Amino acid sequence: KLSQQQKVSDTEGSNRDIIAFATAGDEAVVQVFFIRDGKMLGREHFYLTGVQHEERADIMADFIKQYYAGTPYIPRELLLGEALNEEDGQLIGDWLSKKRGGRVKILVPQRGEKERMIELAYKNASLVLQQDAEKIKREEARTTGAVRQIADWLGMAGICRIESYDISNTSGFESVGSMVVYENGRPKKNDYRKFRIRTVAGPDDYASMREVLTRRFLHAGKSTEGQEDSFSRLPDLILMDGGRGQVNVCLEVLSELGVDRVKVCGMVKDDHHRTRGLYFQNREIPMDTHGQGFRLITRIQDETHRFAIEYHKLIRGKGQVHSILDDIPTIGAARRKALMRHFSSLEQIKNASLEELKEVPGMNERSAAEVLRFFGREEGKDE
């Protein structure tokens, strides 16, 4: 690689651009070196596509026309790594000379320092292509390759869209659900959805999940032609963050709604709460925990949790949920939080005795009595 200030020995005082390109399949990378007053001041590379069936001379001619049509500076000399055909060479030379207001020479060096500069530009272009190919290969392995591995484990074919769901709450209060979508191993964030739990009181994750799934697939059934949204497209696979119980809830909802083409699998955890396998069609399937498929499942899990928790925090942070406890005299923010931590649901608070309420940190007899009175109960009596 040349330093930007490195002198080109036989080009003292010259202003020239050096252009070479490398191809791979349908793509090409063009490398341009900018030589000004005998020094290399910079370089840039450019991507071209749709070149697989093009002649190399035509690729070079098309690039020169596109590039110099959009740049105000025209150098005195172009050194090319590929000869133009005679007609293009003449037309492009005349056009550039007219733009520059002086003759522009177009040369294809065959030896010496100029030829070595062309070779360096070509090697740089080849290196960019190679690095991009390796990057694409790695990305393919962690996305579509990972999906294929999951499909092999499950004995499925053609998995594209995966949906995953999670429930988040604080001791059963302010429950929300999340839905994240991955297509071909990549997150499709425009299709993510949030759910406020409407019908479930208390920390019942199964019932909350049933509500979320029912609303999601009922909505899909209402989609009409020409009015498609993210719910109108059914997933190939639903990934539940749990084993048999979560999977059965999902299968029951799908069966009740007549959705029979969607497959469901759950994640089986070990004693340390780490995923060790997949629960699918009433059996546990082991996974290669060092493979790309496992890493993709982990990313989907983490993203589903993140999205649910983020929504839950947003609701709490903005004060969008008004707790019924806020309406009870003497019950401020500290006592409300203490009640929510002590009892697992609002229903338990409603049914608690005076003595049970007094046991909550920060509560006294007066505040406990106010809770009983608010819920229409006589002081010291249980319903």
Side-chain angles (χ1 to χ4, degrees):
K1 296 182 179 179
L2 290 178
S3 163
Q4 289 190 350
Q5 296 300 320
Q6 182 176 342
K7 290 201 174 187
V8 181
S9 59
D10 69 340
T11 58
E12 191 71 22
S14 66
N15 293 324
R16 59 168 60 111
D17 288 352
I18 298 171
I19 306 173
F21 67 85
T23 61
D26 204 37
E27 296 182 335
V29 169
V30 182
Q31 181 73 63
V32 183
F33 290 162
F34 306 105
I35 310 298
R36 301 294 181 261
D37 296 327
K39 298 176 183 178
M40 186 170 129
L41 296 187
R43 61 186 174 187
E44 282 190 77
H45 63 262
F46 303 87
Y47 291 89
L48 304 178
T49 58
V51 303
Q52 189 166 11
H53 303 295
E54 296 291 324
E55 297 291 336
R56 293 184 66 85
D58 293 334
I59 295 172
M60 180 65 80
D62 288 343
F63 172 76
I64 291 173
K65 286 184 282 189
Q66 291 181 41
Y67 178 71
Y68 289 104
T71 183
Y73 181 79
I74 308 297
R76 186 169 63 87
E77 208 172 71
L78 298 186
L79 302 185
L80 308 183
E82 200 70 41
L84 303 175
N85 64 51
E86 187 175 349
E87 182 178 358
D88 279 341
Q90 183 64 49
L91 290 173
I92 289 173
D94 292 344
W95 170 62
L96 290 176
S97 297
K98 184 176 180 180
K99 282 196 71 174
R100 182 176 180 273
R103 186 187 173 201
V104 175
K105 292 193 290 185
I106 300 177
L107 305 173
V108 182
Q110 301 297 320
R111 60 181 181 274
E113 186 69 25
K114 294 179 180 179
E115 193 274 335
R116 287 191 288 274
M117 291 291 293
I118 289 290
E119 181 64 23
L120 180 59
Y122 170 76
K123 287 180 179 178
N124 279 19
S126 298
L127 181 61
V128 171
L129 269 178
Q130 180 184 348
Q131 291 172 339
D132 282 356
E134 291 171 353
K135 181 179 178 182
I136 291 169
K137 186 177 180 180
R138 289 194 300 269
E139 180 65 13
E140 194 276 339
R142 71 187 296 273
T143 54
T144 55
V147 173
R148 285 196 299 269
Q149 190 172 37
I150 295 171
D152 289 342
W153 292 337
L154 302 179
M156 294 177 60
I159 294 179
C160 173
R161 183 182 176 101
I162 298 174
E163 293 182 4
S164 181
Y165 299 84
D166 191 26
I167 303 297
S168 180
N169 58 62
T170 302
S171 300
F173 294 86
E174 304 172 359
S175 292
V176 300
S178 69
M179 162 185 156
V180 305
V181 180
Y182 274 62
E183 287 193 355
N184 294 316
R186 298 177 177 86
K188 191 175 183 184
K189 296 194 175 184
N190 287 342
D191 284 4
Y192 286 16
R193 288 296 179 268
K194 306 168 184 174
F195 301 84
R196 292 279 293 278
I197 304 302
R198 302 168 180 167
T199 63
V200 181
D204 191 335
D205 284 356
Y206 283 176
S208 297
M209 186 62 72
R210 176 181 289 276
E211 178 186 327
V212 167
L213 292 167
T214 300
R215 286 163 58 186
R216 184 264 181 268
F217 288 101
L218 274 176
H219 192 113
K222 295 176 183 178
S223 298
T224 58
E225 189 174 350
Q227 295 182 332
E228 292 188 353
D229 60 15
S230 64
F231 282 165
S232 63
R233 186 176 178 190
L234 296 178
D236 301 302
L237 179 68
I238 293 176
L239 192 62
M240 304 298 294
D241 187 29
R244 183 193 302 267
Q246 290 276 17
V247 169
N248 286 341
V249 167
C250 186
L251 290 173
E252 288 169 8
V253 171
L254 295 177
S255 177
E256 290 166 4
L257 298 179
V259 181
D260 55 8
R261 62 168 289 267
V262 178
K263 304 299 182 184
V264 184
C265 75
M267 285 165 280
V268 182
K269 307 292 176 57
D270 61 19
D271 294 338
H272 302 285
H273 205 66
R274 294 189 296 253
T275 300
R276 71 171 188 233
L278 296 175
Y279 180 77
F280 183 64
Q281 295 180 340
N282 295 318
R283 63 191 181 97
E284 182 180 333
I285 299 171
M287 293 189 297
D288 173 12
T289 56
H290 301 288
Q292 291 292 348
F294 178 78
R295 293 190 180 104
L296 174 59
I297 287 172
T298 301
R299 290 197 298 274
I300 294 174
Q301 277 183 293
D302 293 344
E303 179 69 352
T304 309
H305 294 328
R306 180 202 65 78
F307 192 56
I309 291 170
E310 183 181 87
Y311 181 41
H312 190 238
K313 286 181 177 178
L314 177 67
I315 288 177
R316 287 186 295 142
K318 289 187 175 180
Q320 292 177 348
V321 175
H322 176 72
S323 172
I324 192 171
L325 302 178
D326 292 332
D327 295 329
I328 303 175
T330 76
I331 302 299
R335 283 176 173 160
R336 173 170 59 83
K337 290 178 182 178
L339 286 166
M340 291 168 63
R341 282 194 295 266
H342 189 83
F343 296 98
S344 61
S345 68
L346 183 62
E347 198 64 30
Q348 284 194 9
I349 296 174
K350 290 180 179 179
N351 295 325
S353 67
L354 181 69
E355 292 302 318
E356 289 172 332
L357 290 168
K358 286 166 59 178
E359 291 176 1
V360 176
M363 294 286 287
N364 55 31
E365 185 164 351
R366 181 190 172 199
S367 59
E370 289 289 358
V371 173
L372 293 178
R373 190 174 297 110
F374 182 81
F375 290 116
R377 298 167 55 203
E378 291 295 329
E379 188 172 314
K381 293 183 180 181
D382 295 333
E383 292 182 348

